[in-house]
């Protein structure tokens, strides 16, 4: 079974803090994704990566950066957390090529106070 | 602009009853459509995938339909169970390079005993 794990289920941070969200997948998938999920807005893509050290902006990259130093790990970084970044963050991975299912992690609920 | 609209936003039904969730999309060019189930506090899990040529696909008590002409899909749940309580998300993929997924806002289903 594909397994995508995220470092924290719940996280509370203060405004201005630097926040790291970690995601690890164990299926040697080329592609990895970070989404945020907000009520009424659905999932929105922040960044994705199709290979080590490669990254592409999604629909809402502002205020975020990512790092992919190893194939199995994709990190989302909030350089200076703000209250409008309070959200559920979901990581996903899938094999390279098109049409494959994305496998999601359990999510990290981040609250910025 | 690519959009995926789901209805209703929320639904409450009694255990054992059937229900149908709707998904309308304006995504083009169309590649495939997936329905995901997302339990509270968890990441989405794929239920079905449908391509342009498929009209109906079943997965146990879940049956998805696709009308590519009207750009509509539905997810029918038969003999609902308490464990069906979840959010159901419609996701459409565009036939382009890269990760071109458009997510619907989801339908939150609650099954009551």
């Amino acid at each position: 079974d594909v397994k995508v794990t995220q470092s924290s289920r719940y996280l509370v941070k203060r405004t201005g803090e630097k926040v790291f969200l970690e995601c690890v997948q164990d299926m040697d998938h080329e592609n990895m994704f970070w989404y945020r999920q907000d009520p009424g807005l659905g999932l929105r893509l922040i960044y994705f990566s199709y290979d080590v050290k490669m990254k592409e902006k999604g629909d809402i990259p502002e205020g975020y950066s990512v790092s992919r130093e190893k194939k199995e790990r994709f990190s989302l970084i909030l350089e200076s957390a703000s209250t409008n970044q309070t959200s559920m963050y979901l990581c996903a991975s899938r094999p390279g090529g098109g049409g494959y299912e994305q496998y999601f992690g359990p999510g990290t609920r981040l609250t910025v106070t | 602009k690519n959009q995926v609209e789901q209805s209703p936003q929320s639904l409450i039904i009694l255990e054992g009853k059937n229900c149908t969730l709707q998904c309308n999309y304006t995504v083009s060019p169309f590649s495939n459509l997936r329905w995901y189930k997302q339990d509270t506090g968890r990441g989405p899990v794929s239920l079905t995938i449908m391509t342009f040529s498929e009209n109906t696909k079943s997965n146990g008590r879940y049956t998805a339909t696709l009308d590519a002409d009207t750009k509509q899909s539905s997810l029918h749940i038969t003999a609902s169970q308490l464990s069906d309580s979840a959010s159901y998300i419609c996701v459409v993929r565009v036939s382009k390079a890269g990760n071109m997924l458009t997510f619907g806002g989801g339908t939150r289903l609650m099954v009551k005993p």
Side-chain angles (χ1 to χ4, degrees):
Chain A
D1 280 350
V2 176
K3 193 167 185 181
V4 180
T5 57
Q6 296 182 225
S7 51
S8 304
R9 294 299 301 276
Y10 300 94
L11 209 52
V12 179
K13 296 291 182 181
R14 293 192 182 278
T15 301
E17 278 193 83
K18 190 169 186 176
V19 182
F20 292 87
L21 302 182
E22 301 283 338
C23 175
V24 177
Q25 50 94 5
D26 65 358
M27 284 303 292
D28 202 37
H29 286 170
E30 287 81 7
N31 298 337
M32 297 187 75
F33 311 86
W34 275 107
Y35 295 91
R36 65 177 283 177
Q37 184 177 31
D38 301 287
L41 296 178
L43 276 78
R44 293 179 291 168
L45 181 65
I46 304 171
Y47 268 97
F48 67 99
S49 168
Y50 52 87
D51 202 350
V52 176
K53 296 190 186 294
M54 306 300 285
K55 60 184 179 184
E56 293 282 344
K57 292 180 180 179
D59 299 320
I60 51 165
E62 296 79 17
Y64 304 95
S65 62
V66 290
S67 172
R68 192 164 181 203
E69 297 296 319
K70 294 184 177 182
K71 193 175 185 180
E72 67 271 17
R73 188 179 299 268
F74 192 33
S75 302
L76 179 69
I77 303 153
L78 286 66
E79 296 290 341
S80 178
S82 63
T83 54
N84 63 13
Q85 291 179 311
T86 292
S87 185
M88 169 70 89
Y89 290 87
L90 288 162
C91 174
S93 74
R94 70 168 170 85
Y100 291 104
E101 174 185 353
Q102 287 194 13
Y103 295 88
F104 286 86
T108 295
R109 183 160 293 282
L110 172 67
T111 302
V112 182
T113 61
Chain B
K1 181 181 177 182
N2 290 333
Q3 284 188 310
V4 177
E5 301 285 344
Q6 290 187 243
S7 62
Q9 283 193 333
S10 62
L11 183 62
I12 302 174
I13 61 173
L14 292 176
E15 186 179 12
K17 299 294 186 183
N18 304 336
C19 67
T20 300
L21 315 180
Q22 300 289 345
C23 173
N24 296 339
Y25 60 92
T26 59
V27 171
S28 181
F30 175 88
S31 176
N32 61 54
L33 183 149
R34 280 188 193 272
W35 283 93
Y36 280 88
K37 179 186 179 187
Q38 184 177 19
D39 293 313
T40 301
R42 296 190 178 277
V45 175
S46 179
L47 291 174
T48 66
I49 178 173
M50 302 185 74
T51 58
F52 186 87
S53 59
E54 295 175 300
N55 299 120
T56 304
K57 184 169 282 189
S58 292
N59 177 1
R61 293 178 298 101
Y62 300 102
T63 300
T65 66
L66 175 66
D67 185 333
D69 292 330
T70 61
K71 298 188 177 182
Q72 295 179 326
S73 177
S74 65
L75 181 69
H76 186 76
I77 304 174
T78 303
S80 61
Q81 301 176 358
L82 298 179
S83 58
D84 293 331
S85 295
S87 289
Y88 292 85
I89 303 171
C90 176
V91 185
V92 182
R93 188 171 189 272
V94 176
S95 295
K96 291 181 182 177
N99 178 64
M100 302 296 286
L101 294 183
T102 303
F103 289 79
T107 292
R108 187 163 190 84
L109 174 66
M110 182 178 294
V111 180
K112 289 192 168 183

